[in-house]
Every structure is written in C-alpha cells, then in structure tokens.
Amino acid sequence: MSMFRRQADCYVATFAVDEVRVLRKVASEVVGLLTDGFDHTDPVVGRLFPAVYPKDVAGSAEFRRYTEGDLKTAKIDQAGAILAALPDEAGGEVRLDAEAAEAWLRALNDARLAMGVRLEIKDGTDLGEELDDAVTEDPGSSRVFQLSVYAYLGYLQESLLNALID
C-alpha cells in the first residue's frame, strides 16, 4: 500500500494500478454526488453540508443560500485534485505540493464521510470488527470491498497528514 513521504517541498507516494483505479472511482463518485446526484434529501449530502444552525431551519437555509455554491465548487475542485494528480490507468508516482496535499486531505475526508454514511459507520464503530463480521458473513460481498476501501482511504489520509506534519 502507498505511503506518502516528504521529499523537499513535495509529498510523494507510489500507487499500484489497483490503488489508482480505486482512488479514481472514489473521487469521480464524489464529483458525481456533488453535480448530477446533488440532492438535499440524501443523507450523504446532509453530512457533507450540515445545517449550520440545527435548531434554526430558516437561518440554516439562508446561510446555505449564500455559501453552498462556493463550498460545493471547492469540494468538486478538491476531488478534481486527486483525479488530476493520479497517473493514467497504470500505477505510478504522485507528487503533491503543499496546496495539492491539503486538497487531497479534504477530498479524502469528504470521500470517507460519504462512505461512512452509506456504510452506517458511527463514531463508536470498530472498523476491524465490522470488517471481520462482513468477511465472516460473505467474504465476496460488496460490503467487504467497501469497508476495505473506507479503511484504505483512512490509511492514506493518515499517511499524508503525517507527511505534512513531519
């Protein structure tokens, strides 16, 4: 699995072809969710764009009216930063400057939030236990794959964050 490391003023990781495919798919799905699939009734959209004033529906709607477009554009651009930096269909090296690294962190976070809602991951969920249970139930299930991708995105996010801190 890829791990980011700092090289001078860049953050570098080498990705296998399967990792590139997974990251390309995840980032594309986030873009799709924020464009064609944007629906305020979708719980994922609610998680990515939470009400600023949970007890004031009108105030939250007013705030959303002024900020949602820019926030949505930023989230699309951040997912686009992943797509732009990935090697073509083959594996290969990714080199990120500080700005791109920050965009990747935010995009990985958005992808994990979206997947977490779909997978019903809560604050107290033990991901290892959840994955073990899914493997025991049906090792070839889509849930096993999705939980594995969720865990991988967390690993990648932590790796990049650690590289930024070092």
Side-chain angles (χ1 to χ4, degrees):
M1 286 211 280
S2 300
M3 179 171 262
F4 277 96
R5 62 201 176 284
R6 187 176 185 145
Q7 283 186 353
D9 60 347
C10 288
Y11 305 92
V12 181
T14 303
F15 292 91
V17 66
D18 289 340
E19 292 173 301
V20 170
R21 285 184 186 138
V22 164
L23 287 171
R24 191 170 298 286
K25 181 162 178 50
V26 166
S28 295
E29 287 177 357
V30 169
V31 170
L33 175 75
L34 297 172
T35 54
D36 302 335
F38 196 76
D39 174 6
H40 283 103
T41 64
D42 183 339
V44 171
V45 171
R47 183 68 174 103
L48 294 176
F49 298 88
V52 173
Y53 309 113
K55 295 180 181 180
D56 180 2
V57 174
S60 285
E62 183 72 5
F63 185 82
R64 181 179 297 117
R65 186 166 68 96
Y66 290 108
T67 61
E68 186 175 82
D70 289 341
L71 183 56
K72 190 169 28 167
T73 298
K75 289 179 179 297
I76 292 167
D77 289 348
Q78 290 155 11
I82 290 178
L83 294 170
L86 288 172
D88 292 333
E89 293 303 311
E93 188 175 82
V94 168
R95 300 181 74 76
L96 305 174
D97 61 19
E99 184 179 339
E102 293 287 338
W104 269 58
L105 280 177
R106 289 188 296 274
L108 290 169
N109 188 61
D110 286 344
R112 290 190 78 234
L113 287 172
M115 288 188 78
V117 169
R118 295 282 191 247
L119 292 168
E120 299 179 0
I121 303 290
K122 306 291 183 217
D123 284 341
T125 300
D126 180 328
L127 190 56
E129 186 177 304
E130 192 75 21
L131 189 52
D132 288 345
D133 290 347
V135 168
T136 299
E137 188 173 313
D138 180 4
S141 72
S142 63
R143 182 164 179 81
V144 170
F145 177 74
Q146 291 168 348
L147 286 167
S148 298
V149 169
Y150 180 84
Y152 170 70
L153 294 176
Y155 164 81
L156 194 59
Q157 188 177 23
E158 183 178 359
S159 166
L160 182 52
L161 185 59
N162 287 334
L164 282 165
I165 292 170
D166 286 347

